[in-house]
Amino acid sequence: FMKNKNILITGATAGIGYETAKALAKQGANIYIVGRNKEKAQKAVDDLIRETGNKNISFFTADLSKQKEVRKLAEEIKAKLPRLDVLINNAGAAFMKHELTEDGIETTFANNHLSYFLLTNLLLDLLRKSAPARIVNVASHSHYGGKIDFSDLNYIKNYSGYKAYENSKLGNVLFTLELAERLKGTGITVNALHPGVVKTDIGKKHTNFLVSFGWNLLTAVTGISVAKGAETSIYLASSPEVEGVSGKYYADSKHKWHSKYSQTEGLKEKLWEVSAKLTGLS
């Protein structure tokens, strides 16, 4: 089913993204990973080729929190790939310290939500050309705690790394819902997912000792393996069962309801409008 399909996975030099790439490479797909660091990306590609025996694996580099790099990445992808069958927006990070990007946007929101929004929109023509195509957005169970304050998207008032993360993952869900509406009839589907509490470093990067210790404790007690955490991404990217299914949220490869708040009338449309302004798409 996946033989020779072109699949792009962001944040795939380690963790869930890497495991997703590995599984889909084993199914015979052509894999393109995106990483921030050239050496790390090259090593990931070499390891993937060695572990899967699939030689059709290569990488692009970009820091997805910077919009000019997302734009450059999209241009490079369009120049290199004649088609794109599956886009997996997987890159995510949690920042415990308040910082703004060079575009003047709070880093978690920029990295986790706006990068999905901008990259996907810039690649839509390529996906349309390749239909039936799929977009898979790695969100999180954390979105249930999210609430977006449009008057303070940069958290100038009171910053909490956890809140910023929850809200960015809510952004992924709202983006998925609105994009599904906009893509009706195009042959492109888009779904979001919760990978589970996975034993990765996401809760330890960009943070302090205490938070890092807490994350280690949490994942030691409740954490699932990275391979298990990748299962729903793999399922949504490749399973014939979800062909034609769009605008849904999944966990454990099953459809789940997204948060009540994310169903608020007009919310997904408003976030789209604001995101389009912030990324210069409107």
Side-chain angles (χ1 to χ4, degrees), residues 6-28:
N6 285 349
I7 302 181
L8 182 81
I9 309 171
T10 65
T13 57
I16 301 167
Y18 182 87
E19 291 298 325
T20 304
K22 186 160 81 177
L24 295 169
K26 283 180 178 166
Q27 292 184 35

Side-chain angles (χ1 to χ4, degrees), residues 15-74:
I16 301 167
Y18 182 87
E19 291 298 325
T20 304
K22 186 160 81 177
L24 295 169
K26 283 180 178 166
Q27 292 184 35
N30 307 321
I31 305 291
Y32 301 89
I33 68 171
V34 180
R36 244 195 318 222
N37 175 301
K38 193 175 172 190
E39 286 69 38
K40 254 180 100 170
Q42 184 62 64
K43 185 185 178 318
V45 166
D46 295 341
D47 291 347
L48 285 166
I49 291 171
R50 197 183 65 247
E51 288 176 45
T52 64
N54 181 339
K55 289 192 169 55
N56 299 320
I57 303 174
S58 55
F59 71 88
F60 296 96
T61 52
D63 177 344
L64 298 174
S65 67
K66 299 174 176 170
Q67 292 183 21
K68 65 167 192 273
E69 293 205 23
V70 176
R71 290 176 186 280
K72 190 167 141 278
L73 171 66

Side-chain angles (χ1 to χ4, degrees), residues 18 21 29 101 103 106 118 183 192 237 268:
Y18 182 87
T101 65
D103 303 297
E106 189 275 317
L118 181 56
L183 291 176
K268 63 187 192 323

Side-chain angles (χ1 to χ4, degrees), residues 37-276:
N37 175 301
K38 193 175 172 190
E39 286 69 38
K40 254 180 100 170
Q42 184 62 64
K43 185 185 178 318
V45 166
D46 295 341
D47 291 347
L48 285 166
I49 291 171
R50 197 183 65 247
E51 288 176 45
T52 64
N54 181 339
K55 289 192 169 55
N56 299 320
I57 303 174
S58 55
F59 71 88
F60 296 96
T61 52
D63 177 344
L64 298 174
S65 67
K66 299 174 176 170
Q67 292 183 21
K68 65 167 192 273
E69 293 205 23
V70 176
R71 290 176 186 280
K72 190 167 141 278
L73 171 66
E75 288 310 316
E76 285 169 8
I77 291 163
K78 289 192 281 197
K80 184 169 179 173
L81 305 186
R83 57 180 296 121
L84 181 59
D85 301 283
V86 184
L87 166 63
I88 303 176
N89 288 307
N90 166 81
F95 299 87
M96 291 301 139
K97 209 166 112 258
H98 184 267
E99 280 172 39
L100 299 183
T101 65
E102 62 180 34
D103 303 297
I105 293 158
E106 189 275 317
T107 311
T108 309
F109 188 71
N111 198 78
N112 295 2
H113 165 64
L114 287 181
S115 74
Y116 283 25
F117 181 86
L118 181 56
L119 183 62
T120 304
N121 272 296
L122 294 174
L123 294 177
L124 275 183
D125 287 347
L126 189 58
L127 287 155
R128 270 197 193 91
K129 244 174 39 186
S130 319
R134 297 182 185 190
I135 299 164
V136 178
N137 292 326
V138 178
S140 165
H141 191 68
S142 306
H143 90 272
Y144 289 104
K147 235 182 171 72
I148 294 179
D149 177 0
F150 286 100
S151 71
D152 189 24
L153 281 177
N154 278 340
Y155 304 96
I156 302 304
K157 289 205 279 280
N158 43 3
Y159 184 72
S160 144
Y162 291 114
K163 268 275 155 263
Y165 185 76
E166 286 175 348
N167 292 348
S168 71
K169 293 286 124 187
L170 171 62
N172 296 158
V173 172
L174 293 170
F175 168 53
T176 301
L177 299 174
E178 178 60 16
L179 185 60
E181 289 286 319
R182 289 168 178 252
L183 291 176
K184 274 186 179 151
T186 61
I188 307 171
T189 60
V190 52
N191 293 293
L193 69 110
H194 168 56
V197 176
V198 183
K199 290 176 173 148
T200 70
D201 288 341
I202 188 167
K204 297 193 292 188
K205 290 178 186 161
H206 321 290
T207 184
N208 60 35
F209 168 75
L210 259 177
V211 173
S212 185
F213 178 74
W215 176 259
N216 283 344
L217 209 61
L218 173 73
T219 56
V221 178
T222 62
I224 56 173
S225 71
V226 181
K228 185 106 187 82
E231 281 176 4
T232 308
S233 296
I234 297 157
Y235 174 76
L236 289 175
S238 63
S239 174
E241 283 177 25
V242 285
E243 205 164 342
V245 174
S246 193
K248 300 271 187 279
Y249 175 73
Y250 282 75
D252 294 322
S253 303
K254 291 182 189 70
H255 172 240
K256 293 261 189 321
W257 277 103
H258 40 90
S259 73
K260 213 158 180 54
Y261 175 74
S262 65
Q263 299 167 48
T264 306
E265 178 105 20
L267 185 64
K268 63 187 192 323
E269 294 83 354
K270 181 162 188 190
L271 182 64
W272 184 285
E273 204 179 299
V274 170
S275 304

